Amino acid sequence: MPGPDLKHDPTELVILCVLAEEPLYGYAITKRVAGQSGGEIKLSPGVLYPLLNLMEKQALIASTWETVKSDRAAGEAGGEADSAEAGEGGRRRKWYRLSPKGRKRLVQRIEAHKAYLSMIESFLPGAPKGAEGGRG
C-alpha cells in the first residue's frame, strides 16, 4: 500500500482539476470529465455525489444553490442528483467551486500523482537502473 505521500485517488484529483478551471454543477462535472477523458472516465451519480459531499465536509469545495428554469418534463433531471424541486420557478441546481483549502489539496494531489507515476515507471522495462526506489 502506498505511503501517505503516494496516496493515489484519481477521482478526487480529476474533480479538483475540473473545479480549478471554473465552478460547475454535478451533471456538468460528469460531462466535463467524460469529454476531457474521451469517455474513459465516467463518474456515476453514486460515485460523484458522495465524493462531492465528502469534499464539501472537508472544506475542499464550497457550494451555492441556483434556481434553474427548465423546459424538460418533470422528473427528467439529466442525472442530476443534486437537483431539487423548487416549485413553479424551476428546479434548484447546486454549483461547486474550489475553496482555498481545495487549491492546496490540488497541488498536493498533483505532486502525489506525479510521484506515483514515477514509482510505477521505475518498474517498466527500460527504466533507468537505480531509479529512485531502485530495483536493486
Side-chain angles (χ1 to χ4, degrees):
M1 186 170 210
D5 292 338
L6 292 178
K7 185 176 180 188
H8 190 65
D9 187 351
T11 306
E12 180 183 277
L13 174 60
V14 166
I15 291 171
L16 289 170
C17 287
V18 298
L19 291 179
E21 294 174 16
E22 65 180 320
L24 294 169
Y25 55 95
Y27 186 65
I29 293 171
T30 301
K31 288 299 196 184
R32 171 79 51 89
V33 169
Q36 202 165 325
S37 70
E40 292 295 316
I41 302 174
K42 296 175 182 150
L43 298 175
S44 69
V47 169
L48 178 64
Y49 294 106
L51 184 54
L52 288 172
N53 188 35
L54 176 63
M55 292 170 70
E56 193 168 15
K57 285 180 181 176
Q58 294 173 340
L60 301 175
I61 61 175
S63 65
T64 54
W65 286 95
E66 172 189 48
T67 300
V68 182
K69 291 191 178 192
S70 175
D71 294 333
R72 295 180 184 184
E76 187 181 328
E80 288 185 64
D82 60 350
S83 293
E85 295 284 332
E88 293 181 23
R91 67 188 190 319
R92 293 178 64 205
R93 179 179 288 160
K94 194 172 187 179
W95 286 81
Y96 301 93
R97 69 184 180 287
L98 213 52
S99 69
K101 184 177 179 181
R103 291 192 186 282
K104 289 178 188 173
R105 174 72 67 93
L106 175 58
V107 170
Q108 292 169 345
R109 288 289 188 233
I110 290 170
E111 290 172 5
H113 183 73
K114 287 178 180 179
Y116 180 83
L117 289 178
S118 178
M119 183 268 302
I120 293 297
E121 287 174 3
S122 74
F123 289 93
L124 300 179
K129 297 289 182 205
E132 196 172 315
R135 291 187 286 175

